[in-house]
Amino acid sequence: MIKGIWVEGPVKKGVLDFLNGLLAEKKIKAVLMPAKNKGGDSYAWFLMGKDRLLESADPVPPVMTTQGANVVSYLTKKGPVWEKTAVLLRPCEYRAVIELAKIKQVDLTNLVLISFDCPGAYPLEKYVNGDPEELDESFEVCLGGVVELDGPRNVCAICHRFTGTGADIEIGLMGGEGKGFWLVPGSKQGEELLDGAVGSESDNIDVREKAISDRTIARETKRNNTLDSFQETVMGPENLLNTLSACINCHNCSRVCPICFCRECYFDSKALSSEADNMLQRAQRKSGLRLPPDLLLFHLGRMSHMSVSCVSCGACEDACPANVPVSMLFALAGRNTQAVFDYEPGRRLDEAIPHTVFKFEELKDFETPYIKEYSKV
Amino acid sequence: MDEKKEFTPSIIYGLCSWCGTGGSETAGAMHLQYADNIRPFRVPCTGAIDPVYILRALIEGADGFAVSGCHPGDCHFDSGNYRARRRIAVLKSLLDTFGLDSERVLLRWVGHGEGKRFADTVNEFNDYIKEMKKNPLAERRDT
Ligand code: SF4
Ligand code: SF4
């Protein structure tokens, strides 16, 4: 497999040229990626083809609007796409696509997954209410991987999986210093598509590898330290409930979560609705009851369902109207539950989601051993 | 009477209809005594216990939640107990993450014929929870 093709020049234009080339040569039929809206203050996903992309298409947008995995899931819900379709995804979106493919919520047939070295993203609210032009400019400066994004979302600041490792094609930005980028094949399909791409066979790609490994090490430390000190602020009923106290039970966080794919969420179902009498009894036991009830149950329960697959994309926090640090809570939960199974969501398609498999001998620490002669009473 | 004696914990015991419940029947047939403040909760299989049930119990007033079912290799549905073990591992590591007393959740396999093991488990867990005192979540109104 070739290591990569170096494409000199402005990054975004270069990527669009490459994609337009694939369309023109009929190697792919369509491209799914975000494009800037007419108002200029946000992005939406578009399926583009037949022969060229939208002028406002942006392969590396500064915000994450709809999580890409939700879009791909929507596209292939009723079956695969019939013709080759390229999808441009942030690394966390790519990993969510892989998680969803494992549980058959995405059909990967005929999809070409393309990802990039991600500089991070701005909080959606900050972008929509701020000065998009100014933010676009400072975002652009970070594409080469030298400068870190100023004021990204919480999860982006501690993201240690910021490359699209595993995707059919990676757009290598780190180490390119904004002077160009590498097209890096990650699969046989990716390699075939790169055959004939405009650019030069790369002899400088180790610059990217070095930049990635340096940042990975720094980010891993930062991630663990940040999550450790965050954990101290949410430990115990008092702290945890205070952290959640602003929550308005809107369930937006779960609705936008790509991993929470259930048609009907348990927490929105009739299973949890009860008679007034039930709530009065609960209020009596607890000397009062917050309404709507089941706030803690929702968050902890959701974590128990999906935190092993949480890719830490931050969509939940972008969608939260109440400034609850949901993405940090779930990043922390995910880090710890994933560690139990040495599992990393989205790392490999053939790595089964822990809830769907088991080993005969495992997890002894979670069982309480029987003390044979326990003879009280 | 000291304070410890006065506290009778509220404990839910999730038992599968094959081994866990069987164990409790055997204990009864053997006339074994065990703490009567546990409330058995019968499910078809430990694999049918979603952690949300356990969470709900703990949030709404239970001081402890025990789960017993067929030993590994003996599950009536072949693999339900292995799945239960994974779910409980996830739940316990979540409770640990947020400092919410993961020891209030107990997992121990009890076979159909293991009446003594069943009675012992009830008593042991009951004593343990008594030591731990009341579950602080149960008294919070802002849950
Ligand atoms: S919280 Fe649980 S039931 Fe609800 S959508 Fe997520 S996984 Fe499904
Ligand atoms: S989006 Fe925010 S306010 Fe809404 S349920 Fe989630 S945490 Fe609560």
Side-chain angles (χ1 to χ4, degrees):
Chain A
M1 196 143 55
I2 50 157
K3 281 187 101 181
I5 294 172
W6 171 252
V7 185
E8 192 100 11
V11 171
K12 289 190 179 180
K13 182 175 174 301
V15 176
L16 295 181
D17 287 347
F18 165 64
L19 294 169
N20 269 322
L22 292 180
L23 282 171
E25 287 171 52
K26 302 209 165 34
K27 283 184 170 174
I28 53 174
K29 194 69 183 227
V31 179
L32 179 62
M33 79 166 134
K36 198 155 211 180
N37 63 7
K38 282 237 171 76
D41 60 354
S42 193
Y43 289 80
W45 287 81
F46 286 90
L47 199 48
M48 310 174 202
K50 293 169 173 166
D51 20 57
R52 64 189 179 86
L53 309 169
L54 294 177
E55 295 79 45
S56 57
D58 191 341
V60 191
V63 282
M64 192 174 89
T65 52
T66 307
Q67 224 276 11
N70 282 333
V71 183
V72 177
S73 165
Y74 201 84
L75 178 69
T76 62
K77 201 169 250 170
K78 299 232 154 161
V81 289
W82 292 0
E83 310 216 52
K84 283 243 179 297
T85 303
V87 192
L88 266 285
L89 297 157
R90 304 192 104 84
C92 54
E93 293 175 317
Y94 164 76
R95 292 197 303 274
V97 166
I98 297 301
E99 287 304 283
L100 289 183
K102 291 177 190 175
I103 42 178
K104 303 205 162 33
Q105 299 302 308
V106 155
D107 191 328
L108 292 175
T109 315
N110 282 328
L111 293 184
V112 181
L113 304 181
I114 305 180
S115 192
F116 52 85
D117 302 345
C118 184
Y122 294 120
L124 195 52
E125 193 260 336
K126 169 171 167 174
Y127 192 78
V128 174
N129 295 328
D131 181 345
E133 265 174 50
E134 198 183 303
L135 291 169
D136 283 350
E137 245 168 65
S138 32
F139 185 79
E140 203 88 11
V141 180
C142 304
L143 288 186
V146 185
V147 191
E148 291 239 13
L149 193 63
D150 185 33
R153 306 178 309 157
N154 286 333
V155 277
C156 299
I158 56 167
C159 176
H160 63 317
R161 294 288 179 263
F162 49 84
T163 68
T165 316
D168 293 305
I169 297 173
E170 278 184 76
I171 296 166
L173 301 174
M174 293 278 299
E177 295 177 7
K179 294 184 200 114
F181 61 94
W182 292 271
L183 289 167
V184 185
S187 68
K188 191 141 191 316
Q189 167 166 253
E191 196 181 22
E192 279 162 19
L193 289 171
L194 288 190
D195 187 33
V198 183
S200 51
E201 182 109 11
S202 159
D203 52 4
N204 57 348
I205 195 144
D206 41 330
V207 185
R208 170 175 182 249
E209 280 150 21
K210 172 86 173 46
I212 290 174
S213 95
D214 287 352
R215 187 175 279 183
T216 305
I217 294 166
R219 286 282 184 79
E220 270 168 356
T221 314
K222 189 174 175 197
R223 181 177 186 83
N224 280 324
N225 292 344
T226 311
L227 289 180
D228 287 345
S229 37
F230 177 72
Q231 183 171 24
E232 278 170 35
T233 69
V234 294
M235 280 283 254
E238 177 70 19
N239 286 330
L240 183 58
L241 286 165
N242 283 347
T243 309
L244 293 172
S245 67
C247 175
I248 60 167
N249 298 52
C250 65
H251 297 187
N252 277 0
C253 45
S254 126
R255 217 153 285 147
V256 299
C257 173
I259 305 300
C260 270
F261 68 88
C262 303
R263 291 261 167 83
E264 186 186 22
C265 173
Y266 178 79
F267 302 100
D268 294 324
S269 73
K270 290 222 171 61
L272 281 188
S273 68
S274 36
E275 309 286 325
D277 183 48
N278 169 295
M279 280 176 260
L280 285 171
Q281 281 180 26
R282 283 155 79 183
Q284 225 141 44
R285 268 202 305 271
K286 289 171 173 283
S287 333
L289 183 69
R290 186 190 199 271
L291 289 179
D294 302 317
L295 162 80
L296 185 61
L297 185 71
F298 166 64
H299 289 288
L300 290 177
R302 193 162 93 81
M303 285 173 188
S304 81
H305 288 173
M306 52 59 73
S307 66
V308 289
S309 284
C310 173
V311 295
S312 225
C313 69
C316 45
E317 201 163 312
D318 262 343
C320 177
N323 260 330
V324 178
V326 228
S327 71
M328 295 296 280
L329 288 166
F330 278 74
L332 176 62
R335 178 183 72 170
N336 295 359
T337 56
Q338 289 159 19
V340 173
F341 307 100
D342 192 17
Y343 181 74
E344 216 181 273
R347 176 165 54 188
R348 297 167 58 106
L349 189 58
D350 59 7
E351 202 173 359
I353 294 180
H355 284 298
T356 64
V357 287
F358 60 85
K359 292 186 192 133
F360 293 109
E361 289 280 336
E362 63 172 357
L363 306 172
K364 285 278 172 282
D365 293 351
F366 296 93
E367 281 174 38
T368 311
Y370 178 45
I371 314 159
K372 276 242 161 59
E373 292 315 314
Y374 193 86
S375 50
K376 271 213 172 169
V377 181
Chain B
M1 242 198 224
D2 68 324
E3 206 197 314
K4 222 181 269 171
K5 286 238 172 64
E6 269 173 62
F7 169 51
T8 308
S10 149
I11 293 175
I12 313 285
Y13 202 159
L15 300 163
C16 80
S17 18
W18 309 93
C19 295
T21 317
S24 78
E25 279 161 9
T26 309
M30 291 163 78
H31 298 287
L32 295 173
Q33 294 284 318
Y34 53 82
D36 54 14
N37 50 301
I38 62 136
R39 291 181 228 178
F41 168 54
R42 183 171 165 157
V43 286
C45 175
T46 48
I49 301 182
D50 191 295
V52 174
Y53 306 162
I54 303 178
L55 283 167
R56 187 155 208 214
L58 291 176
I59 294 170
E60 295 303 329
D63 300 300
F65 197 116
V67 174
S68 284
C70 315
H71 285 270
D74 288 346
C75 176
H76 186 80
F77 301 102
D78 196 42
S79 59
N81 51 0
Y82 297 112
R83 294 178 192 284
R85 185 166 65 188
R86 285 210 156 194
R87 295 207 186 105
I88 287 179
V90 166
L91 175 65
K92 277 175 161 272
S93 87
L94 280 174
L95 293 174
D96 276 336
T97 301
F98 296 107
L100 299 177
D101 298 348
S102 65
E103 322 86 87
R104 290 186 187 277
V105 179
L106 172 134
L107 172 66
R108 181 180 289 162
W109 311 118
V110 171
H112 193 293
E114 295 179 314
K116 173 141 183 2
R117 184 168 164 127
F118 175 85
D120 284 354
T121 301
V122 171
N123 291 330
E124 181 193 335
F125 192 48
N126 189 41
D127 289 347
Y128 187 80
I129 297 293
K130 269 188 195 162
E131 290 289 320
M132 281 189 89
K133 303 253 170 54
K134 196 135 190 56
N135 175 8
L137 278 182
E139 291 178 330
R140 304 261 334 188
R141 61 173 76 106
D142 52 350
T143 53

